[in-house]
Amino acid sequence: MAAGINTVWVLVAGALVFFMEGGFAALEAGLVRQKNTINIMMKVFMDCTVGVIGYWAIGFGLMFGLDRLGIIGINGFFLSSQLKHLGLPVPPAAFWFFQAAFAVAAISIVSGAVAERMKFSAYIIFAFVGTALIYAVSGHWVWDAGGWLNQLGMRDFAGSAVVHAAGGWAALAAVMLLGPRIGKYNRDGTPNVLPANNLPLAAMGAFILWFGWFGFNPGSTLSGLNLNIATIAMNTEMAAAAGGVVSTLYTMRRYGKADPSMTINGVLAGLVAITAGCAYVSAAGAVAIGAVAGWLVVWGVAFFDRLRLDDPVGALAVHGLGGTFGAMAVGLFALKGGLFYGGGLHLLGVQILGTLAVSVWAFSASYGLFALLKRTVGIRVSAHEEMEGLDVGEHGVPAYSHGATSPAFLPNPLHEHPGEALPTPGME
Amino acid sequence: MAAGINTVWVLVAGALVFFMEGGFAALEAGLVRQKNTINIMMKVFMDCTVGVIGYWAIGFGLMFGLDRLGIIGINGFFLSSQLKHLGLPVPPAAFWFFQAAFAVAAISIVSGAVAERMKFSAYIIFAFVGTALIYAVSGHWVWDAGGWLNQLGMRDFAGSAVVHAAGGWAALAAVMLLGPRIGKYNRDGTPNVLPANNLPLAAMGAFILWFGWFGFNPGSTLSGLNLNIATIAMNTEMAAAAGGVVSTLYTMRRYGKADPSMTINGVLAGLVAITAGCAYVSAAGAVAIGAVAGWLVVWGVAFFDRLRLDDPVGALAVHGLGGTFGAMAVGLFALKGGLFYGGGLHLLGVQILGTLAVSVWAFSASYGLFALLKRTVGIRVSAHEEMEGLDVGEHGVPAYSHGATSPAFLPNPLHEHPGEALPTPGME
Amino acid sequence: MAAGINTVWVLVAGALVFFMEGGFAALEAGLVRQKNTINIMMKVFMDCTVGVIGYWAIGFGLMFGLDRLGIIGINGFFLSSQLKHLGLPVPPAAFWFFQAAFAVAAISIVSGAVAERMKFSAYIIFAFVGTALIYAVSGHWVWDAGGWLNQLGMRDFAGSAVVHAAGGWAALAAVMLLGPRIGKYNRDGTPNVLPANNLPLAAMGAFILWFGWFGFNPGSTLSGLNLNIATIAMNTEMAAAAGGVVSTLYTMRRYGKADPSMTINGVLAGLVAITAGCAYVSAAGAVAIGAVAGWLVVWGVAFFDRLRLDDPVGALAVHGLGGTFGAMAVGLFALKGGLFYGGGLHLLGVQILGTLAVSVWAFSASYGLFALLKRTVGIRVSAHEEMEGLDVGEHGVPAYSHGATSPAFLPNPLHEHPGEALPTPGME
């Protein structure tokens, strides 16, 4: 019966985390320009189709297979083993289901940062390698009992480092190699506004992500019998609220207006930052972590822009900075072992080391992959396609069509002979 | 183990209720004019960030702290006590999580009614005071064991009165003090159509709210072991269906066409009305309650319009009338004690008294708050800003941007030097 | 306590399945033309209001009442019996709640295929008869212990045949009787593109449907203590991923571009196809089933188009072909009894027979109903209304309105005197 409760809990939580893909899709599609809307959603579909296959075939085994030297797992590929060494409170299939949703979330972070200019075919390859290799290896270090960072005592409850910092710094590598969008920066280095096409869609994405986080964080207990899930859910909500309050008020004070994308990103940064510590900190600690993250994201967006690192959705600030801060903050705010609660510097040191290790791995491995892709299949669409938009360029259709007589953008596989003139109503 | 099941249930239900914020945001954004779309969503973000902080700091203690004279609770602020007097079947953090989502829902009702003209800064103050004080006090009367209405025997299972009537009549106070939107009424009192900008978005909001209600109502048992949750879920579905059927058919008969906003509001009114009685009535009773609510909302929207009470989304009819009717209808339809089942007039009297008390409090307290805000910070944007739209006026950006070369609406904190001309493609 | 866990599980799963209505609404609204957007959503609202009432009053009793001759159930109408013969692990209300969501899903499949030309009033009648009769009868055959296909040993775990093939072939009957949209086919039989108006909305619909499927399939155990739910969830995810990968790569290879509607439909076809076998096959089997379905849907959309069967959203291919294939594939891939695992031809034969029986019934009964409707109330809007769009024609309002001064499309029941000129700002 205990296994039943745990399995119900993990499956519901896993479904919530998978639904976050819809949140990523809406958030990113809302923040880019209209001509690239469906392309970014298609990239998210690749995350949760190609990425799932990659994680099933290879990634899960590397991450949770039998440990070798604290570096990687070596069995469980294609779910081919019983995984008894994990001592799971739920069936292996439930654990896989939950973990696969995390792997997919990690690479979806990248999809936003590379929006509006990355080739779709190259992205498919990234989606596979991202879950099959990059995410899985550093995940093993922290979350497998034999992983070297786990052995050192690193605590990253639901993945501020494992998922978010890794995703954020992987995105940084991609952004560096891709370069900024055409027209984003002037010759003197000053940035231009490439306005978000649909802020309500982005807001809906944030609500879906927030909802999904109530699976992401408390589900990571893997047990519905662990009553700590209540505190985790509460801390998650607290940090999100604090992040949104601070980013909104700070933006109002600094710029005179409440910027919607900053409110959205403040909430998300609060969620990202509490992900590591949600099981270890007090409600007040959660508010403090969320508040700092809410400030950090406003600062961070401007910071990356000054460096001419063009991130259309703010993923570097939200996930990179938010995740890095959140994972390290466990060393400050943990009720057991945190510096602010008399725990000294040991845990803080471990958290800093571990977060840096995960971040450096994710950045380096992604840099290598994107550099290889750049030299082979290419990672950036042509300037002509970028100006025309990736929706038509990569997918043959605009995201939005307002009339019955829109010209058909070739090739549309739904139809054999597109583009003919429509008959006038009287003809039929 | 029982605590585990209950906690899983309450957290899942609480997450569903929090997700209703996404539903409110979409519903309201869809029903207003395009120029005010992101502003209304930003107000909902304030509900679930500022409102959460207010409920944590003050509201929860007032509502569920140790009772003083049946009027208010006096401890538990900042979740600072163990709350043993509540005798909860779940950890206090789970109870807080669930209740916070309700508090946020109550004030979100107001956001829709004040759309398209209320100042964002004043709304932030309302969001705080609304959860910290207004909602919490009348909530204590009904839902705390020591509350005076609870002592009288009032039964409002999941809050037709506590959440919906309170929210609806608080909105009425705000609407009266704000006045109608520019252009809504002609000098002879006749109304104009200020058309909904995005009915599909509004419909999606309704689907999300409906989904969330399956947490709202059955979750209010606080226990997954109480098998009554099955009946509650069934009754919730029945009343929603009946509300939608009646509002649609009645509208078709009266006006010759099925109005989408009436179908949506009919479903929502059915849900609002069954919220009080979902645990006490039969399936047939739920159908009857939903059907009356579906008729009531069509009548009510026209009624408030005749009074020149300008409510852009129909919140007064859906939540005010629907909630008031639903709470009172417990006195008619309750299988134990309801007038229609031989229970006499006692319960009906208590329900009427209690619903009126909650409504009068919520209206009066909100009227006081909005009157104070009106004299101090002001509650209404300038006529110029109202005509321009609150999206640009309050947030510096339009909700939708269709081209790459849209002018930048200052100030956009994402960028330091917005508004420069974009280079032509060949320049890069 | 076991009943508590089971009930929590079934209610959460049921809520997820009901939320799929939001997914159907978004998917279909995104894939049609803008002028028919809110009409299609209104039809989905009729599914989950009128359809729920029909299933409550009649359908549920026909499907799960006391068996008569293996053909129909004969009690339980209006939930008027205890249903002890079912031996349920949950309260009857929970079982009804879950099953009602399935009935509604089945008829929602039809709403997409008849989009852009079917009369709203006729659709309301279909929504009632669809859940009250058509779906319920064949559902009894397979899912009631006394049903003749159940007795033969047919295995359709969560309804590839019962829900999806039935819905898909019911849609075929409707499409045949309705005829294609004006302008869809030229006189030489070649098709024109009537482009999807909002692919991001369609994509969000797919994400919601995918999310809901994690209730649809594992919830069908009716028990959270059956640890097979973990495998079912995993298989569901696998098949969806495989369907999306194959439809995307196959489309890229065949047409040179990745078509968004094909990626979406590939994912959905994978989900539809695994619905029957999710509890019986291995992960590799799920990948294989999903992959075939992903290919099948691309082939099928073109196939139906060649036959001039005009299906605006691809429902015939996704649900009709996907469901038929998925139900039959149990006979190939089932670990116990499947041909590929040494089980011989018996199960395959039963699956083929049963799937054909369900399909023929759903097609024939729907054909009869739509033929009757065609001769009486009529099933198709006028050519003028079709050109103008069903949003204005059936509902009096456009789905989208971009300005404050849009003319009012009569009659809008929200207001008594619509259409007057708005005063200029200075007047108020």
Side-chain angles (χ1 to χ4, degrees):
Chain A
M1 195 172 291
I5 299 169
N6 293 339
T7 305
V8 165
W9 174 242
V10 170
L11 293 186
V12 171
L16 286 169
V17 180
F18 266 122
F19 190 40
M20 291 172 75
E21 293 305 299
F24 278 112
L27 177 74
E28 296 171 4
L31 292 178
V32 301
R33 287 169 294 175
Q34 186 176 306
K35 63 185 177 181
N36 300 313
T37 310
I38 197 62
N39 174 259
I40 193 71
M41 285 185 146
M42 285 291 282
K43 284 171 179 159
V44 176
F45 272 113
M46 294 303 102
D47 295 335
C48 50
T49 54
V50 173
V52 162
I53 299 296
Y55 195 69
W56 170 56
I58 304 172
F60 183 74
L62 285 181
M63 193 156 166
F64 291 109
L66 278 169
D67 176 67
R68 175 66 58 94
L69 300 171
I71 306 297
I72 54 167
I74 56 167
N75 72 350
F77 305 107
F78 295 97
L79 283 173
S80 56
S81 98
Q82 290 296 314
L83 304 166
K84 287 186 180 169
H85 64 281
L86 294 174
L88 292 170
V90 292
F95 183 65
W96 179 87
F97 180 73
F98 191 68
Q99 292 298 336
F102 276 63
V104 165
I107 61 169
S108 294
I109 293 165
V110 176
S111 62
V114 301
E116 310 207 62
R117 59 210 191 277
M118 184 166 173
K119 279 176 83 165
F120 185 67
S121 55
Y123 190 83
I124 293 176
I125 298 171
F126 164 73
F128 187 86
V129 180
T131 60
L133 180 66
I134 302 173
Y135 167 78
V137 169
S138 48
H140 179 85
W141 300 351
V142 183
W143 282 350
D144 188 83
W148 69 276
L149 289 170
N150 193 307
Q151 294 279 334
L152 283 178
M154 182 174 178
R155 290 153 75 185
D156 183 13
F157 189 71
S160 288
V162 169
V163 176
H164 296 283
W169 303 132
L172 176 63
V175 165
M176 288 171 64
L177 283 162
L178 270 173
R181 292 166 290 175
I182 295 172
K184 174 61 192 173
Y185 299 104
N186 299 310
R187 289 188 176 165
D188 63 359
T190 54
N192 292 302
V193 173
L194 306 184
N197 85 93
N198 192 333
L199 287 171
L201 185 62
M204 292 313 297
F207 282 113
I208 293 173
L209 286 165
W210 195 341
F211 178 51
W213 237 288
F214 296 127
F216 206 98
N217 285 2
S220 291
T221 58
L222 299 180
S223 168
L225 297 173
N226 179 343
L227 297 189
N228 202 17
I229 55 178
T231 302
I232 296 168
M234 179 186 69
N235 283 345
T236 300
E237 179 64 11
M238 291 288 185
V245 169
V246 168
S247 69
T248 304
L249 296 183
Y250 176 59
T251 307
M252 287 175 80
R253 188 179 172 90
R254 182 164 168 188
Y255 301 100
K257 307 236 174 185
D259 185 88
S261 66
M262 283 303 170
T263 299
I264 289 169
N265 278 337
V267 165
L268 296 178
L271 289 164
V272 165
I274 199 61
T275 295
C278 53
Y280 310 127
V281 306
S282 68
V287 169
I289 288 172
V292 172
W295 168 82
L296 196 60
V297 80
V298 180
W299 177 84
V301 165
F303 171 75
F304 288 114
D305 216 19
R306 274 198 299 278
L307 296 180
R308 302 188 64 162
L309 293 164
D310 181 20
D311 172 8
V313 304
L316 301 180
V318 169
H319 300 276
L321 290 181
T324 301
F325 163 70
M328 292 180 177
V330 171
L332 302 172
F333 289 95
L335 296 172
K336 290 184 187 171
L339 180 64
F340 295 167
Y341 294 85
L345 289 165
H346 178 73
L347 180 59
L348 180 61
V350 169
Q351 295 298 117
I352 292 173
L353 171 68
T355 306
L356 288 177
V358 170
S359 300
V360 168
W361 159 257
F363 175 83
S364 306
S366 300
Y367 197 95
L369 172 62
F370 278 93
L372 185 67
L373 289 172
K374 191 172 183 174
R375 294 201 184 178
T376 52
V377 296
I379 56 175
R380 186 151 181 160
V381 300
S382 71
H384 175 267
E385 183 176 330
E386 187 173 341
M387 295 309 293
E388 182 189 37
L390 277 67
D391 288 357
V392 170
E394 298 279 41
H395 309 295
V397 286
Y400 300 95
S401 170
H402 296 292
T405 55
S406 300
F409 292 88
L410 292 171
N412 186 327
L414 279 164
H415 306 282
E416 310 285 281
H417 305 281
E420 294 196 18
L422 291 170
T424 51
M427 284 176 63
E428 193 81 12
Chain B
M1 195 171 292
I5 299 169
N6 292 339
T7 305
V8 165
W9 174 242
V10 170
L11 292 185
V12 171
L16 286 169
V17 181
F18 266 122
F19 189 41
M20 290 172 74
E21 294 304 299
F24 279 112
L27 176 75
E28 296 171 4
L31 292 178
V32 301
R33 287 168 294 173
Q34 187 176 306
K35 62 185 176 181
N36 301 313
T37 309
I38 196 63
N39 173 260
I40 194 69
M41 286 185 144
M42 284 291 281
K43 284 171 179 159
V44 175
F45 271 113
M46 293 304 101
D47 295 335
C48 51
T49 54
V50 172
V52 162
I53 299 295
Y55 195 69
W56 170 57
I58 303 173
F60 182 74
L62 286 180
M63 191 156 167
F64 291 109
L66 279 171
D67 176 66
R68 174 66 58 94
L69 300 170
I71 306 297
I72 55 167
I74 56 167
N75 72 350
F77 306 107
F78 295 98
L79 283 173
S80 56
S81 99
Q82 289 295 316
L83 304 167
K84 286 186 181 169
H85 64 281
L86 294 173
L88 293 169
V90 292
F95 183 65
W96 179 88
F97 180 73
F98 191 67
Q99 293 297 338
F102 276 62
V104 164
I107 59 168
S108 294
I109 293 166
V110 178
S111 62
V114 302
E116 311 207 63
R117 58 210 191 280
M118 185 167 173
K119 279 175 83 167
F120 185 67
S121 54
Y123 190 83
I124 293 177
I125 298 171
F126 164 72
F128 187 87
V129 180
T131 60
L133 179 67
I134 302 172
Y135 166 78
V137 168
S138 48
H140 179 83
W141 300 349
V142 184
W143 282 350
D144 188 80
W148 69 277
L149 289 169
N150 194 307
Q151 294 280 332
L152 283 178
M154 181 173 177
R155 289 152 78 183
D156 183 12
F157 189 71
S160 288
V162 169
V163 176
H164 296 284
W169 303 131
L172 175 62
V175 165
M176 288 171 65
L177 285 163
L178 269 173
R181 293 166 288 174
I182 295 173
K184 175 60 192 173
Y185 299 104
N186 299 310
R187 289 186 177 165
D188 62 359
T190 55
N192 292 303
V193 173
L194 305 184
N197 85 92
N198 193 332
L199 287 171
L201 185 62
M204 292 312 297
F207 282 115
I208 293 174
L209 286 165
W210 195 341
F211 178 50
W213 238 289
F214 296 127
F216 206 97
N217 285 1
S220 292
T221 58
L222 299 180
S223 168
L225 296 173
N226 179 341
L227 297 190
N228 202 17
I229 55 177
T231 302
I232 296 169
M234 179 187 68
N235 283 345
T236 302
E237 179 64 12
M238 292 286 186
V245 168
V246 169
S247 69
T248 304
L249 295 183
Y250 175 59
T251 307
M252 287 175 79
R253 188 180 172 90
R254 183 164 167 188
Y255 301 99
K257 307 237 174 183
D259 185 87
S261 66
M262 283 303 170
T263 299
I264 290 170
N265 278 337
V267 166
L268 297 178
L271 289 163
V272 165
I274 200 60
T275 295
C278 53
Y280 310 127
V281 305
S282 68
V287 169
I289 289 172
V292 172
W295 168 82
L296 196 61
V297 80
V298 180
W299 177 84
V301 165
F303 172 75
F304 289 114
D305 217 18
R306 275 198 297 278
L307 298 179
R308 301 189 63 164
L309 292 164
D310 181 19
D311 172 9
V313 305
L316 301 180
V318 170
H319 300 276
L321 290 181
T324 300
F325 164 69
M328 291 179 177
V330 171
L332 302 172
F333 290 95
L335 296 172
K336 291 184 186 169
L339 180 64
F340 295 167
Y341 294 85
L345 290 165
H346 178 73
L347 180 59
L348 181 61
V350 169
Q351 295 298 118
I352 291 173
L353 171 68
T355 306
L356 289 176
V358 169
S359 299
V360 169
W361 159 257
F363 175 83
S364 306
S366 299
Y367 198 94
L369 172 64
F370 277 94
L372 184 68
L373 289 172
K374 191 171 184 174
R375 294 199 183 177
T376 51
V377 297
I379 56 174
R380 185 150 179 161
V381 300
S382 71
H384 175 268
E385 184 177 329
E386 187 174 339
M387 296 308 295
E388 182 189 38
L390 278 66
D391 287 357
V392 170
E394 298 279 41
H395 309 295
V397 287
Y400 299 96
S401 170
H402 295 293
T405 55
S406 300
F409 292 88
L410 292 171
N412 187 327
L414 279 165
H415 305 284
E416 310 283 285
H417 305 280
E420 294 195 18
L422 291 170
T424 51
M427 284 176 62
E428 192 83 11
Chain C
M1 194 171 291
I5 299 170
N6 292 340
T7 305
V8 165
W9 175 242
V10 170
L11 293 185
V12 171
L16 286 169
V17 181
F18 266 122
F19 190 40
M20 291 172 73
E21 293 305 299
F24 278 113
L27 177 75
E28 296 172 4
L31 291 178
V32 301
R33 287 167 295 173
Q34 187 177 306
K35 62 185 177 181
N36 301 314
T37 310
I38 196 63
N39 174 260
I40 193 70
M41 286 184 145
M42 284 291 281
K43 284 170 179 158
V44 176
F45 272 113
M46 292 305 102
D47 296 334
C48 51
T49 55
V50 172
V52 162
I53 299 296
Y55 195 69
W56 170 57
I58 304 172
F60 183 74
L62 286 181
M63 191 156 167
F64 291 109
L66 278 170
D67 177 66
R68 175 65 58 95
L69 300 171
I71 306 297
I72 54 167
I74 56 167
N75 72 350
F77 306 107
F78 295 97
L79 283 173
S80 57
S81 98
Q82 289 296 316
L83 303 167
K84 287 186 180 168
H85 65 280
L86 294 174
L88 293 170
V90 293
F95 183 64
W96 179 86
F97 180 74
F98 191 68
Q99 292 297 337
F102 275 63
V104 165
I107 59 169
S108 294
I109 293 165
V110 177
S111 62
V114 301
E116 311 206 62
R117 59 208 190 281
M118 184 168 174
K119 279 176 85 166
F120 184 67
S121 55
Y123 190 83
I124 292 177
I125 298 171
F126 164 73
F128 188 86
V129 180
T131 60
L133 181 67
I134 302 173
Y135 167 78
V137 168
S138 48
H140 179 84
W141 301 349
V142 184
W143 281 350
D144 188 82
W148 70 276
L149 288 170
N150 193 306
Q151 294 279 334
L152 283 179
M154 182 174 176
R155 289 153 78 184
D156 183 12
F157 188 71
S160 287
V162 169
V163 176
H164 296 283
W169 304 131
L172 175 62
V175 165
M176 288 171 65
L177 284 163
L178 270 173
R181 292 165 291 174
I182 294 173
K184 175 61 192 175
Y185 298 105
N186 299 310
R187 290 187 175 165
D188 62 358
T190 53
N192 292 303
V193 173
L194 306 184
N197 85 94
N198 192 332
L199 287 171
L201 185 62
M204 292 312 297
F207 282 114
I208 292 173
L209 286 165
W210 195 341
F211 178 50
W213 237 289
F214 295 127
F216 206 98
N217 285 1
S220 292
T221 58
L222 299 180
S223 167
L225 296 173
N226 179 342
L227 297 189
N228 202 17
I229 56 177
T231 302
I232 296 168
M234 179 186 70
N235 283 345
T236 301
E237 179 65 12
M238 291 289 185
V245 168
V246 168
S247 69
T248 304
L249 295 183
Y250 175 59
T251 306
M252 287 175 79
R253 188 180 172 90
R254 182 163 167 190
Y255 301 100
K257 307 238 175 184
D259 184 88
S261 65
M262 283 304 169
T263 299
I264 289 170
N265 278 337
V267 166
L268 296 178
L271 289 163
V272 165
I274 198 61
T275 294
C278 53
Y280 311 126
V281 306
S282 69
V287 169
I289 288 172
V292 172
W295 168 82
L296 195 60
V297 79
V298 180
W299 177 84
V301 165
F303 172 75
F304 288 114
D305 217 19
R306 275 197 298 277
L307 298 180
R308 301 188 64 162
L309 293 164
D310 181 18
D311 172 9
V313 304
L316 302 180
V318 170
H319 300 277
L321 291 181
T324 300
F325 163 70
M328 292 179 176
V330 170
L332 302 173
F333 289 96
L335 296 172
K336 290 185 187 170
L339 180 63
F340 295 167
Y341 294 86
L345 289 166
H346 178 73
L347 180 59
L348 181 60
V350 170
Q351 294 299 116
I352 291 173
L353 171 67
T355 306
L356 288 176
V358 170
S359 300
V360 168
W361 159 257
F363 175 83
S364 306
S366 300
Y367 197 94
L369 171 63
F370 277 93
L372 184 68
L373 289 173
K374 191 172 184 174
R375 295 200 182 178
T376 52
V377 297
I379 56 175
R380 185 153 180 159
V381 300
S382 71
H384 175 267
E385 183 176 328
E386 187 174 340
M387 295 308 294
E388 182 189 38
L390 278 67
D391 288 357
V392 170
E394 298 279 42
H395 309 295
V397 287
Y400 299 95
S401 170
H402 295 293
T405 55
S406 299
F409 293 89
L410 293 170
N412 187 326
L414 279 164
H415 306 283
E416 310 283 283
H417 305 281
E420 294 195 17
L422 291 170
T424 52
M427 283 177 65
E428 192 83 9

